Amino acid sequence: MTVHQRDWQSFVTPGKDGAVHMDLAVDGITCAACMGEIERGLKRLPGIRTARVNLTSQRLAVDWVEDQTGADEIVAELDRLGYTAHPFDPASQKQRQDQTGKQLLRCLAVAGFAGMNIMLLSVSVWSGNATDITPETRDFFHWLSALIALPTVVYSGRPFVISAFRALSAGRLNMDVPIVIGVFLAVALSIVQTLQHHHHAYFESAVMLLFFLLVGRYLDHNMKGRTRSFAENIAALKAEVAARINPDGSVREVPLSKVVSGDLVLVSGGERVPVDGLVETGTSEIDQSLVTGESVLVPVIAGQRVYAGTLNGAGALQVRVEAASGATLLDEVNRLLEAASQAKSSYVRIADRAAQLYAPLVHGAAALTFLGWLLAGLSWQPALVISISVLIITCPCALGLAVPAVQVVASGQLFRRGVLLNSGDAIERLAEIDTILFDKTGTLTLAEPDLCSDIDPDDTDIALAGRLALASRHPLSTALVKATGALTPLPEVTEHSGAGLETVVDGNRLRLGSPVFCGASPEQIDKALRDAPGASLLAIGLGDRPVRLLAFRQRLRPDAKSVIASLEAQGLALEILSGDTQPAVADCAETLGVANWQAGMKPAQKIARLEELQRQGRKVLMVGDGLNDAPALAGAHVSLSPVSAVHLSQAASDAVFLGDKLQPVADALSLSKRARAAIEQNLWISTIYNVIAVPIAVAGFVTPLMAAVAMSASSLAVTANALKLRWGEGRSQMEQTDHGVGESPVQG
Amino acid sequence: MDVLIFLIPIALLLGALGLGAFLWSLKSGQYDDLEGAKWRILDDDDLPGK
């Protein structure tokens, strides 16, 4: 919790009968016990009407009477219970209502109900045809089937009709075009046959086809929805708020969407800068690693520019929000990003490629069948019946399920390994890559600096410095506190803004801060930097003893070395492209054993290198987190960013990975390769099925019963094959990478 | 076979009733949190003294 009063009105929406409503993302809900604890804990507050935790999406919905309890008290209460919570910005609320999913589920329910009832009638007709059904009864059953099927096709077919229409008006063919044609032809044909007292009608085929395809559609949508809601939680817990300084001098926290150009924003020590702008007052050091990739802290003074996503050191800054002026780094990145997104050849998904092959082939076969039977001397109507039965038997069920089923299973697996997909076809593209470009800072390394000098745990001076560091929120102080495990702060600490901390211990002056502030000699600073290239230094000066320098650096992710080695062993070409200084990158590349690396790269250079590789026909995976990586992330064949990345980069990449490890990157690669294989198998299964079924249909031997059996069997086959991905896991691999995404290791 | 005139509409009506029940339960948000629902049944919040 921050000290400013938050402008809660921006998060609260009016609810039922005088109450107000708020939705919060809650971090730290790990099990069912948390659920009861939160709900019971909140109900102890006065005026709370309902508090309900959603365990699936890790969210909390609260309705309460506003004049009895404030929204801040609710968040404070949650904090006391041990859960970090942050309200959602109602501005983005509307998109969170999962209308599409519910609509699909309604269509699915209607199709399921209709399919079952028509099937009851159809089975009666089929068995009656084999025994002694009277023509009147058969017609009556067919009419009943029509009565159920017509509204169902109109209602449940809408998602397909809309999507087919969209594709056609854009001059493309997608899977939905043959589906819609097949369903509507089948229903029309069945009505005609019923009118003519035929033995066969295909009502159940049409409805079943819709049912199977809707299952695939719904699964597909659900997988996207789950990762999306998770990503929204992460975004909300990152607290996209800014402390706005109002003209009367009061400070209020407001959602970022409410901050406009020209506002004055207060950035306290240790906070992320929420906006791009110019510093009006204050001095501090800024950790720019998320923007430029530089790991060394940069001093800033009034008049200098700061970027959203950078981490403020010790001093408080007042920043004047600036709209893009066309000359800033952010503008450059945005320009490159746009160019990269446009230059990226639009990837045609496997399913669509299959559809482009499938539709002309099947419709061609049906047309040829019709002509063939006409030439063989059949009258036009039976010939038409046979040709439509070709369309029905080659039903795109299996084809429509082949790809989504695999994608659903694979993305579920990835989700468990801590990879959240932004787009379903990322799996297909991931399977193709042969080159990986890594950013260094924040990608191969962790985002926070760590002490890398060796310290003696019994060293009293260091322990004192650690206790002194408790008084500051500077990133290096925080790292020192973590390294020393200091618990009790020292009294009477004075903070010299932008320089360091000072106090008096047993009559001796103790200083902690920049080397110059503590009185270190230039030679000493040079030597320390030679020993630890690319490090940031923190100095300790106690009384008149020699100054001690501690080096801090972003540590490599714990498993970076082994993951990089295993990627190289798989024959992938690896490169490091970093905006950081030469020595720091060299040191990191050497440790990891990566031969190709480039340092000091600007966003334009990164994208240039990427394009050069892609011109050579390489399929490149880009992994990066900074603002400077965003264009390359957007331009790469496929891209990943860690959860600590800036918003722009996350939006530009295909997937986000969680946690402190690099393993999810390797997992994403190996899983997508297996998923790709399963997709291909599924397409083969569908093809073989069609190769067998089409001749039977062309010969005119297909009955509705055969169509129904074949349809179900092929759909089941591809679904089972997709589920194989789940069981084909080696156990040891599962245990290695199990870091429990369910427990949401989200560090905002 | 005349009995079918009654039985089939009844069967359809019962099916439609089930469909209606499902659509209602979907609308009233009963599928929003399946994960939490399975744990809530074990929660003894109706006991006195909790």
Side-chain angles (χ1 to χ4, degrees):
Chain A
M1 286 305 295
T2 43
V3 285
H4 319 297
Q5 248 194 314
R6 212 171 263 176
D7 187 1
W8 291 105
Q9 282 315 319
S10 333
F11 296 108
V12 172
T13 48
K16 287 194 280 286
D17 27 291
V20 286
H21 178 90
M22 181 165 72
D23 282 314
L24 301 101
V26 185
D27 189 26
I29 299 184
T30 49
C31 64
C34 308
M35 198 165 64
E37 199 182 342
I38 290 174
E39 289 176 5
R40 275 193 288 273
L42 280 184
K43 282 185 182 137
R44 279 198 291 269
L45 292 175
I48 301 277
R49 291 250 179 95
T50 58
R52 197 168 171 93
V53 172
N54 184 329
L55 200 60
T56 317
S57 57
Q58 312 223 332
R59 290 175 187 180
L60 167 71
V62 197
D63 284 282
W64 77 101
V65 183
E66 206 168 10
D67 45 21
Q68 293 188 42
T69 297
D72 49 340
E73 287 169 58
I74 291 176
V75 176
E77 178 68 19
L78 284 169
D79 213 44
R80 220 180 44 76
L81 291 168
Y83 303 97
T84 323
H86 199 278
F88 283 107
D89 181 357
S92 59
Q93 186 88 344
K94 285 191 181 58
Q95 301 154 9
R96 268 202 305 281
Q97 306 291 351
D98 185 17
Q99 289 308 338
T100 331
K102 285 200 164 166
Q103 181 59 35
L104 276 174
L105 203 51
R106 275 197 291 269
C107 290
L108 182 65
V110 170
F113 155 82
M116 280 188 289
N117 282 291
I118 298 176
M119 200 45 109
L120 285 176
L121 297 165
S122 297
V123 169
S124 316
V125 172
W126 298 335
S127 53
N129 279 340
T131 52
D132 59 349
I133 196 166
T134 59
E136 296 77 29
T137 316
R138 185 172 46 226
D139 283 350
F140 173 59
F141 278 17
H142 277 167
W143 280 122
L144 273 175
S145 303
L147 190 73
I148 306 168
L150 281 173
T152 304
V153 168
V154 171
Y155 183 82
S156 298
R158 270 182 317 169
F160 302 100
V161 176
I162 291 167
S163 133
F165 187 75
R166 244 190 239 134
L168 285 177
S169 57
R172 285 182 300 111
L173 263 184
N174 66 0
M175 212 57 228
D176 294 329
V177 178
I179 290 170
V180 170
I181 293 174
V183 167
F184 279 90
L185 275 178
V187 171
L189 170 83
S190 304
I191 290 177
V192 171
Q193 295 205 305
T194 306
L195 280 168
Q196 297 177 337
H197 314 294
H198 257 273
H199 281 228
H200 294 310
Y202 288 96
F203 292 113
E204 76 290 321
S205 292
V207 176
M208 252 174 76
L209 174 56
L210 280 180
F211 177 73
F212 280 132
L213 289 168
L214 280 164
V215 168
R217 238 0 98 94
Y218 179 69
L219 286 175
D220 193 37
H221 173 86
N222 224 16
M223 134 200 139
K224 288 187 188 130
R226 193 173 50 164
T227 50
R228 199 180 322 121
S229 85
F230 206 80
E232 277 166 359
N233 278 11
I234 293 169
L237 287 164
K238 273 191 180 175
E240 299 271 322
V241 292
R244 187 169 61 193
I245 305 172
N246 297 332
D248 60 4
S250 62
V251 178
R252 283 265 190 274
E253 275 202 4
V254 294
L256 214 46
S257 56
K258 290 246 176 6
V259 176
V260 291
S261 170
D263 279 353
L264 196 60
V265 166
L266 178 69
V267 185
S268 319
E271 276 186 0
R272 286 225 176 263
V273 179
V275 291
D276 298 313
L278 289 173
V279 178
E280 292 249 322
T281 54
T283 51
S284 176
E285 283 183 313
I286 293 260
D287 172 356
Q288 301 226 21
S289 60
L290 260 184
V291 173
T292 59
E294 283 170 88
S295 48
V296 180
L297 303 179
V298 183
V300 291
I301 49 170
Q304 279 185 313
R305 186 172 301 283
V306 287
Y307 297 104
T310 52
L311 185 65
N312 184 17
L317 298 173
Q318 293 195 5
V319 178
R320 178 74 61 187
V321 182
E322 260 207 343
S325 59
T328 66
L329 174 75
L330 187 68
D331 297 321
E332 188 197 356
V333 166
N334 268 329
R335 261 201 310 280
L336 287 167
L337 193 64
E338 218 157 287
S341 312
Q342 281 167 358
K344 189 172 177 176
S345 56
S346 58
Y347 178 81
V348 186
R349 292 183 309 189
I350 294 186
D352 291 337
R353 267 181 284 172
Q356 279 159 0
L357 271 174
Y358 167 93
L361 266 177
V362 169
H363 291 166
L368 282 177
T369 309
F370 178 64
L371 289 173
W373 280 108
L374 277 187
L375 292 175
L378 220 59
S379 71
W380 71 269
Q381 219 184 328
L384 189 65
V385 170
I386 294 173
S387 73
I388 291 180
S389 79
V390 171
L391 279 186
I392 294 171
I393 195 90
T394 55
C395 95
C397 271
L399 210 46
L401 276 171
V403 180
V406 173
Q407 282 186 351
V408 169
V409 175
S411 74
Q413 297 284 75
L414 284 172
F415 189 78
R416 269 187 289 280
R417 309 288 182 79
V419 181
L420 307 178
L421 288 177
N422 283 346
S423 57
D425 58 342
I427 297 177
E428 295 169 23
R429 283 180 280 131
L430 263 171
E432 298 176 342
I433 63 144
D434 53 20
T435 309
I436 310 181
L437 301 182
F438 283 103
D439 165 50
K440 178 184 79 78
T441 323
T443 304
L444 290 172
T445 66
L446 291 167
E448 296 90 28
D450 261 314
L451 180 65
C452 59
S453 314
D454 293 327
I455 53 167
D456 184 357
D458 307 327
D459 192 325
T460 49
D461 296 3
I462 302 270
L464 269 180
R467 289 174 59 191
L468 177 56
L470 281 167
S472 161
R473 296 185 56 186
H474 192 289
L476 296 186
S477 306
T478 323
L480 182 64
V481 170
K482 203 166 73 177
T484 54
L487 294 171
T488 40
L490 292 171
E492 292 173 35
V493 177
T494 46
E495 181 158 2
H496 299 263
S497 183
L501 305 165
E502 187 177 343
T503 184
V504 176
V505 182
D506 306 333
N508 286 323
R509 194 187 66 184
L510 172 65
R511 276 186 165 189
L512 174 74
S514 72
V516 178
F517 170 72
C518 298
S521 63
E523 298 81 37
Q524 198 187 356
I525 298 174
D526 282 347
K527 182 181 172 304
L529 282 174
R530 267 200 309 280
D531 290 347
S536 302
L537 297 179
L538 189 65
I540 304 170
L542 180 59
D544 46 12
R545 286 197 231 169
V547 178
R548 310 204 15 193
L549 294 179
L550 298 176
F552 289 84
R553 238 194 327 210
Q554 274 110 341
R555 248 204 331 219
L556 285 174
R557 289 181 183 258
D559 60 349
K561 209 170 164 159
S562 58
V563 170
I564 294 282
S566 82
L567 290 174
E568 284 213 302
Q570 289 171 33
L572 294 159
L574 305 180
E575 263 184 58
I576 299 176
L577 303 183
S578 173
D580 207 352
T581 53
Q582 195 92 3
V585 184
D587 190 55
C588 162
E590 199 177 329
T591 314
L592 294 173
V594 178
N596 296 323
W597 55 271
Q598 298 184 46
M601 300 205 62
K602 298 260 178 306
Q605 292 167 302
K606 285 198 184 195
I607 193 127
R609 175 68 189 147
L610 177 80
E611 282 169 349
E612 183 187 342
L613 285 169
Q614 296 198 332
R615 266 197 304 278
Q616 292 168 13
R618 302 274 199 96
K619 300 268 191 239
V620 183
L621 161 67
M622 171 84 201
V623 190
D625 70 329
L627 191 65
N628 56 339
D629 300 312
L633 288 167
H637 188 59
V638 60
S639 49
L640 285 166
S641 62
V643 69
S644 52
V646 286
H647 184 75
L648 194 66
S649 301
Q650 276 188 15
S653 53
D654 293 300
V656 174
F657 66 94
L658 309 174
D660 281 351
K661 292 189 171 164
L662 200 59
Q663 185 62 39
V665 177
D667 283 345
L669 285 179
S670 59
L671 244 164
S672 61
K673 283 210 168 66
R674 290 184 33 227
R676 167 100 191 189
I679 287 177
E680 280 168 7
Q681 283 162 5
N682 271 357
L683 291 173
W684 276 116
I685 291 175
S686 312
T687 311
I688 289 167
Y689 156 78
N690 278 326
V691 166
I692 295 170
V694 171
I696 300 176
V698 171
F701 292 138
V702 165
T703 61
L705 171 63
M706 284 172 67
V709 170
M711 229 189 256
S712 316
S714 63
S715 297
L716 283 173
V718 294
T719 311
N721 189 41
L723 286 172
K724 211 181 55 183
L725 276 180
R726 263 199 187 163
W727 299 314
E729 295 282 295
R731 273 221 66 93
S732 60
Q733 216 187 0
M734 280 291 255
E735 280 151 19
Q736 250 177 43
T737 55
D738 187 21
H739 52 56
V741 178
E743 280 80 61
S744 112
V746 180
Q747 294 299 325
Chain B
M1 281 314 218
D2 294 344
V3 74
L4 287 178
I5 304 287
F6 295 103
L7 286 183
I8 288 177
I10 289 172
L12 288 181
L13 187 76
L14 288 174
L17 212 65
L19 175 67
F22 172 77
L23 292 178
W24 168 79
S25 65
L26 176 70
K27 201 179 158 90
S28 62
Q30 296 190 31
Y31 300 92
D32 289 354
D33 182 19
L34 296 172
E35 195 61 31
K38 72 183 183 197
W39 290 104
R40 282 180 199 275
I41 46 174
L42 302 174
D43 195 12
D44 298 329
D45 56 358
D46 54 346
L47 292 183
K50 268 291 242 191

